[in-house]
């Protein structure tokens, strides 16, 4: 098989990629947890002296960390800000965005993310881990780094678009896998959310990277040879198979609807904030840092002072009758209480995300006392606080993700519903609010991200509760459907707001009504089979297109092939006497004709003698003759499918004699563009019938 | 979005599809287990009277059941024989095979499979369940049945190629899911093995069907409202988290290599048998039934008499110290032994597949005594017996699958390796042969089927051992790689041996060296835009192509569009005065131009007056103008990608003036065809360079 040429090498690279990403995830974990521990120890010591001293310590730590994080992401490497998911998705959809896959972005991202998470902002580490994974994947496929000055020659074979894309896809998946400890979920995530092009063999290789990344992370964390358990959230030891009754599907569905609504709300808030931020804040860098400082300061105040609204409760570290194991009920926080007592809100709000999730998801708390270990008022207050701050913070000048925040928010209201259901029913019903918290997390994540299969699998892997597959699935589905009625998916909106041209998986309705002549660029820049040096220079200099159709001559304009900008530059290198390259400037036919991604000089680096401008260069052997062209009457929806499934970037449009009439690029196929184009026609009071004949003037020539 | 037009309806249909498939799986389960129970009870009673009487009873039951099964599959509906997986795969790859998706096939298949499995042949029910699921999926998308004489009008919207394919895909997945109780594995299986065209939304819908099917099956089986547990094989109650040591990876890898070798052996035996069967047996139907009778007779003798080679062992239903639960060590068979004793070989060979698997996979047997509950000789004898009979039986005249047999074979040798490792190491190492049995099953299935991600997930779901993700994955990988060196995957070979044209996921090496003019059919049958009735009739009668390029006129032959045979037939209907249809013969433009799959008259049903033959019919409005054409110099590998990803069935090939030069269909793109084509050139001592110019005579016209 064609694809198996370097199959072994791909697997070896996937292995090392997994190890690297696992190490990165481990570093992030160690960084965050060590800083957190130091901080909370300090605050605790201070609080014992004086409450206000405690607050001061907490406030200082959080704001300093947040500001540091912001300084890195705003000043040092701006592409490191945000989660990086839209950028990676855009890249895999075929849009190149500068700096996104650079090593510098990786280090900045990692550090900024550690500081941000450690500062108790309402952010998570998983989004940045996806981006970091993608960068590692790209680094391996490139096997060279300018900053570190190394090049691995035998990996040069992967320096083409397809392999690069494949490695970036598996890297992103491995990032999720390592962050959540969910290898299968990671692989499915990269499939469902990140990648635009997919193959079965890639899934398997991606799954392998995910597995190795998770495994590396766990091995470093446990430092033991025992490989048991990959779960990141310990929900407590199961002393029974948690069965659910069929009627519990009803509250689960309610949680689903609420999750969809809350998810839509979250997205709506964030859209408003991002628009505001783009107009008022993002233009001045120091303002961005200041914004982060203010968020951190406010959030810290709430985190510290809200718990004082709640009374202390006695900590019942219950031992269940008939069982020798102590029930793990999470880490209740003493905070302002006397020994053996805990503050219910502090247990979730004055804590790391992991502690909060552990407390919210804890099962086995089936006595009424334990069910109300964190009461409904505390849960709802926490929910409101967290959703507002998380929705506001996402997209500010730090490197941060929204995955764990989504879990926290969802688990909070889900548990609240669970506790309410418990209180409404007699105790004999034996209902566990921890399960409702899982459903809440599923619903809210579904409502925001509209992920389906990967989300379900991640939650199963994270909680190790395989028997909840059906209810989790149904909840996710209901949440997705509810939110779909209200607003676009979160990541899609982010991509739109970042102006990244992105082709959705399916064509829109308008595309079915348009044909290619309606959307194509009508005066395409082209070169001839035998072209003069002067014209080549002109064409390259006067526009920044990535490729050009090759036609037989200026009169007939029959499409013969396609040539890339890089290929034309290589042609120039060959004909240049003046330009002195530091690398040999002879290329094999293979190198000419494959889409290489290495660094080449730009057209402005060449200085030819104008006397040579009339030299004729034969492009026949260099151009790609395997070019897909379509007729001017070809349906746009099918053209869209061609771009999406064949990974095209440009497509010449021809008339019935194969004469070049136009060119279509990805930007012409965006949903918005086509919608606008269609509306323009309707606005001109043209019926669909007329629409179909509009543009026919081209054929009258 | 375009795809969401009938999204709700699709989900509702998916739901009912899942329910139907779940019910079918339940019927199969009930059928098999009731017959089995009656049979084994009868044999036990008889054995208490006399051993020989017992044998007679067992022999009679098994042979009668097997013969019944064979009679159904050979005489009543021959497409019901075999697993049906190659046929379903072929259908989803775009090849229509008659009778494969008929209701009659479903019933025959179900009954034949129940009898076959109940007759203790070395076959499983999972393969047929995939086929049954696919038929149900097709039935829903069609929503009509000739035999039952019903039509559901509002589902007519799904009567197009894409929706039909999607429903068949999810149906097949749901079949696996219901058979194994593995919803996620089922969805991934339909993705990895069955489908040729794929989308994220389909995965999710498919997952939903799988979930509903599994759930229905389980609900019917348990008749309780508790939804706990979906696992089909109870491995025993876990009294600890089964950790494995990192060094155990070594024996796991050995199991992987052995699995690859054994899988290749299994495939090789089956290929020989199938070739022999095709030449000597399949021509005479009664011979096919006789063959099944002989297999059943021989297998029964071995099953009954082999266990007498082994001594009886005392049945230690051990209660482990420190634990109050009785350890489930499977169902040891008393057979010829005195009470409280069991026969180790009979426990696996004189038993249903489920009992055998339960015994082989049982964990918690960590004392030496329990580890040797089934000793290495018994395991290896069983392995040899089972692999020979399973490899021989697959493909004979019954409806049967090979999935559970693969698990049984793999688990047998895996457990043998586990027991050997246990014996070699001190008892303190605490190694569980049950885990080795899982690895064996994974390795053997990987070696035969080369499935990867779906196999791993199915095994995880079936055994509920999420912590073994990594070792199972590595084992599957090693087994796959080993077997890949020796022989093609089992199902690929089956497809080839059934002469089903099938496009693999990736193009072969030869395709990269060929261009379209080398493989196209050079004298394509075409019609003109304005064509005479006589010519249309002639074209339709003289060949059985499914579609024809439409050109402007006979001289220029510029490709303007493409028209399907069905569309031409509809045109004839409209122009026919003689033919009286029982349905209205006016079609909307939509109906003309979509690819419909309903029943139409054939060309031979029409009788036109030869005087009308000169009537000119304008095809412009009916033909599909969105046709993909490629140049004669277009690379075959890319043409292959177009067919594979866009689901094409025909593609006109044109020269640089858009003049029709040839046509490519799926058959031209088969690996074998291209390989042969390429070899022909090499044989003629033409270099690649010459190869690239061969066929250029076309351009000299």
């Amino acid at each position: 098989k064609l694809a198996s040429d370097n199959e072994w090498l791909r697997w070896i690279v996937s292995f090392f990629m997994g190890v690297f990403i696992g190490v990165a995830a481990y570093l992030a974990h160690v960084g965050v947890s060590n800083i957190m521990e130091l901080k909370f120890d300090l605050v605790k010591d201070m609080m014992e002296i004086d409450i206000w001293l405690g607050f001061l310590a907490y406030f200082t730590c959080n704001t300093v960390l947040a500001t540091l994080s912001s300084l890195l992401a705003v000043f040092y490497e701006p592409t490191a800000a945000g989660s990086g998911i839209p950028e990676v998705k855009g890249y895999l959809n075929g849009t190149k965005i500068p700096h996104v896959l650079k090593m510098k972005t990786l280090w900045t991202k990692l550090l900024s993310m550690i500081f941000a998470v450690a500062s108790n902002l309402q952010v998570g580490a998983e989004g940045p881990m996806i981006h970091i994974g993608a960068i590692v994947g790209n680094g391996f496929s490139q096997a060279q780094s300018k900053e570190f000055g190394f090049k691995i020659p035998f990996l040069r074979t992967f320096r083409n678009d397809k392999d690069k894309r494949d490695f970036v896809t598996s890297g992103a998946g491995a990032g999720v896998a390592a962050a959540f400890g969910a290898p299968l979920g990671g692989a499915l995530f990269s499939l469902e959310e990140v990648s635009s092009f997919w193959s079965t063999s890639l899934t398997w290789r991606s799954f392998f990277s995910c597995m190795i990344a998770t495994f590396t992370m766990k091995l470093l964390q446990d430092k033991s040879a025992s490989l048991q358990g990959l779960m990141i959230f310990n929900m407590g030891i199961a002393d029974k198979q948690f069965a659910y009754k069929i009627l519990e599907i009803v509250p689960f569905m309610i949680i689903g609807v609420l999750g969809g609504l809350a998810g839509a709300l979250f997205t709506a808030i964030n859209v408003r904030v991002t628009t505001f931020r783009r107009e008022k804040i993002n233009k001045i860098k120091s303002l961005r840092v200041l914004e982060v400082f203010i968020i951190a300061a406010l959030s810290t105040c709430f985190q510290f002072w809200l718990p004082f609204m709640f009374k202390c409760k006695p900590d019942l570290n219950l031992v269940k009758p008939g069982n020798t194991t102590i029930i793990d009920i999470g880490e209740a926080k003493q905070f302002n209480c006397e020994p053996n007592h805990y503050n219910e809100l502090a247990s979730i709000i004055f804590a790391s995300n992991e502690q909060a999730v552990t407390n919210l998801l804890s099962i086995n708390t089936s006595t009424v006392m334990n069910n109300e270990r964190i009461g409904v008022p505390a849960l709802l207050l926490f929910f409101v606080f967290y959703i507002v701050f998380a929705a506001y913070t996402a997209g500010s000048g730090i490197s941060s993700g929204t995955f764990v925040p989504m879990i926290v928010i969802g688990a909070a209201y889900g548990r609240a519903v669970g506790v309410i259901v418990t209180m409404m029913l007699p105790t004999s019903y034996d209902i566990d609010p921890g399960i409702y918290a899982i459903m809440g997390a599923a619903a809210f994540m579904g409502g925001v991200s509209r992920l389906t299969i990967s989300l379900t699998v991640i939650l199963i892997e994270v909680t190790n509760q395989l028997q909840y597959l059906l209810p989790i699935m149904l909840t996710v589905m209901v949440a997705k459907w509810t939110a779909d009625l209200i607003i676009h998916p979160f990541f899609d909106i982010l991509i739109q707001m970042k102006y990244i041209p992105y082709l959705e998986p399916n064509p829109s309705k308008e595309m079915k009504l348009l044909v290619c002549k309606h959307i194509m660029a009508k005066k395409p820049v082209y070169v001839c089979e035998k072209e003069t040096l002067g014209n080549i220079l002109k064409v390259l200099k006067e526009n920044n297109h990535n490729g050009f159709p090759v036609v037989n001559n200026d009169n007939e304009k029959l499409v013969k092939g396609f040539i890339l900008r890089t290929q034309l530059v290589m042609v120039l290198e060959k004909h240049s006497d003046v330009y002195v390259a530091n690398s040999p400037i002879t290329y094999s036919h293979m190198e000419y004709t494959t889409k290489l991604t290495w660094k080449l000089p730009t057209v402005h680096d060449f200085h030819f003698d104008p006397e040579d401008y009339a030299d004729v260069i034969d492009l026949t052997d260099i151009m790609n003759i395997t070019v897909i062209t379509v007729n001017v009457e070809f349906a746009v929806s099918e053209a869209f499918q061609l771009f999406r499934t064949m990974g095209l970037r440009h497509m010449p449009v021809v008339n019935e004699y194969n004469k070049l009439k136009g060119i279509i690029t990805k930007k012409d196929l965006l949903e918005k563009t086509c919608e606008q184009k269609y509306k323009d026609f309707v606005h001109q009071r043209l019926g669909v019938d007329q629409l179909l004949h509009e543009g026919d003037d081209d054929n009258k020539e």
Side-chain angles (χ1 to χ4, degrees), chain A residues 501-516:
Chain A
Y502 187 82
L503 299 188
E504 298 291 326
N506 294 309
S508 65
K509 263 182 195 150
E510 288 81 14
M511 293 182 196
K512 217 180 174 178
L513 300 165
L514 294 166
V515 300
C516 286

Side-chain angles (χ1 to χ4, degrees), chain A residues 443-518:
Chain A
F444 189 72
M445 287 179 90
V448 176
S449 69
R450 315 297 152 83
L451 290 173
T452 54
I453 196 162
S454 58
L455 171 55
T456 309
V457 172
I458 287 175
L459 281 168
I460 296 292
E461 286 192 295
V462 159
T463 60
N464 199 14
Q465 306 290 331
L466 202 51
Q467 67 269 35
Y468 292 116
L469 203 47
L470 179 68
I472 289 182
M473 188 184 178
L474 290 178
T475 311
V476 167
M477 212 148 76
V478 170
K480 180 183 150 66
W481 283 345
T482 310
D484 272 347
L485 296 176
I486 308 174
I487 201 165
H488 281 285
F490 184 58
F491 294 122
D492 287 11
I493 293 184
L494 284 188
I495 286 182
Q496 274 183 25
M497 295 189 77
K498 285 181 187 256
Y499 305 116
I500 299 171
Y502 187 82
L503 299 188
E504 298 291 326
N506 294 309
S508 65
K509 263 182 195 150
E510 288 81 14
M511 293 182 196
K512 217 180 174 178
L513 300 165
L514 294 166
V515 300
C516 286
K517 68 182 172 198
H518 298 134

Side-chain angles (χ1 to χ4, degrees), chain A residues 242-254 425 429-431 436 439 467-468 470-471 474-475:
Chain A
F242 293 96
Y244 56 98
K245 326 280 172 320
I246 200 157
L247 273 181
E248 282 187 77
I249 295 284
V250 177
F252 292 165
M253 294 304 93
I254 295 171
L425 295 173
Y429 274 79
D430 197 18
I431 277 166
Y436 286 73
M439 298 306 152
Q467 67 269 35
Y468 292 116
L470 179 68
L474 290 178
T475 311

Side-chain angles (χ1 to χ4, degrees), chain A residues 26 50 93 95 189 196 206 245 311 340 352 363 411 428 439 481 503 567 593 610 644 654:
Chain A
Y26 175 68
D50 185 82
N93 199 259
T95 308
F189 176 85
S196 293
S206 170
K245 326 280 172 320
K311 283 183 195 149
N340 293 324
S352 72
I363 45 175
S428 60
M439 298 306 152
W481 283 345
L503 299 188
Q567 289 173 318
T593 51
R644 197 58 166 65
V654 297

Side-chain angles (χ1 to χ4, degrees), chain A residues 82-341:
Chain A
S83 70
I85 296 179
E87 286 83 0
V88 174
K89 275 187 77 169
Y91 169 78
L92 291 172
N93 199 259
T95 308
K96 282 184 180 149
I97 305 156
H99 297 287
V100 161
L101 296 174
K102 289 267 181 310
M103 275 295 165
K104 189 178 167 196
T105 309
L106 191 154
W107 302 121
T108 319
K109 191 128 208 164
L110 193 61
L111 277 178
S112 171
M113 177 258 277
I114 290 174
F115 291 143
V117 175
S119 76
N120 269 57
L121 279 171
Q122 279 61 51
V123 296
E126 288 67 24
M129 272 312 300
I130 295 168
H131 191 173
I132 289 171
I135 299 176
V136 173
N138 179 57
F140 269 102
S141 69
Q142 291 278 76
Q144 61 179 7
S145 166
K146 254 192 184 168
E147 293 114 86
F148 295 91
F150 72 91
K151 264 189 186 185
I152 304 174
F154 66 87
L155 290 182
R156 194 163 129 168
T157 168
F158 296 145
R159 230 169 284 158
N160 62 69
D161 269 3
K162 187 179 173 301
D163 275 309
K164 218 170 130 178
R165 211 163 53 197
D166 283 1
F167 282 117
V168 170
T169 307
S170 9
V176 185
F180 280 113
L184 189 56
L188 291 175
F189 176 85
S190 73
L191 206 86
E192 184 177 353
E193 180 67 24
V194 184
S195 77
S196 293
F197 309 101
W198 176 87
S199 71
T200 311
S201 60
L202 174 60
T203 317
W204 181 233
R205 208 144 32 81
S206 170
F207 185 30
F208 179 70
S209 294
C210 291
M211 193 74 228
I212 296 296
T214 315
F215 178 66
T216 308
M217 157 85 177
K218 284 285 156 183
L219 204 66
L220 290 170
Q221 223 171 357
D222 293 354
K223 288 181 190 67
S224 75
S226 155
L227 311 183
Q228 89 184 62
L230 291 168
M231 286 70 231
I232 206 158
F233 297 126
N234 185 6
M235 288 183 59
I237 297 155
D239 66 337
K240 57 170 182 183
Q241 285 285 82
F242 293 96
Y244 56 98
K245 326 280 172 320
I246 200 157
L247 273 181
E248 282 187 77
I249 295 284
V250 177
F252 292 165
M253 294 304 93
I254 295 171
I255 289 179
V257 173
L258 291 175
L261 296 175
L265 178 72
F266 177 92
T267 311
I269 296 177
N270 189 262
V271 170
R272 300 274 179 296
V273 171
T274 309
T275 314
F276 162 78
R277 187 176 281 140
R278 203 166 53 193
E279 284 163 14
K280 309 278 173 188
I281 296 174
N282 280 4
K283 281 156 192 164
I284 303 157
K285 285 189 171 186
S286 46
L287 213 56
R288 293 186 74 184
V289 179
L290 182 67
E291 186 198 17
V292 172
F293 173 82
I294 293 172
I295 301 172
L298 271 176
S299 167
T300 303
C301 294
F302 280 115
Q303 286 169 42
F304 196 87
W305 297 115
L306 280 183
F308 285 95
M309 291 167 61
F310 290 83
K311 283 183 195 149
C312 292
K313 287 184 176 182
D315 195 354
L316 301 172
N317 230 351
L318 279 181
V319 175
K320 260 212 160 177
N323 194 308
T324 49
T325 49
I326 291 169
I327 301 161
D328 181 9
I329 47 166
E331 304 176 40
K333 289 255 173 180
Q334 192 184 335
F335 198 59
N336 60 335
C337 305
E338 56 204 270
N340 293 324
H341 282 63

Side-chain angles (χ1 to χ4, degrees), chain A residues 516-524 632-633 653-657 659-662 693-701:
Chain A
C516 286
K517 68 182 172 198
H518 298 134
I519 62 157
M520 68 189 187
K522 285 197 181 144
K523 286 185 179 146
V632 284
E633 301 287 343
V653 183
V654 297
N655 70 2
E656 57 182 326
Y657 301 101
K659 180 174 183 175
L660 182 66
K661 281 286 161 186
H693 293 284
E694 218 283 339
D696 274 355
D697 50 347
D698 292 340
N699 295 332
K700 286 174 198 149
E701 290 171 34

Side-chain angles (χ1 to χ4, degrees), chain A residues 640-653:
Chain A
F640 181 93
Q641 295 288 12
L642 276 172
F643 269 70
R644 197 58 166 65
T645 58
M646 301 289 291
L648 301 187
R649 286 186 179 164
H650 350 250
M651 186 165 66
V653 183

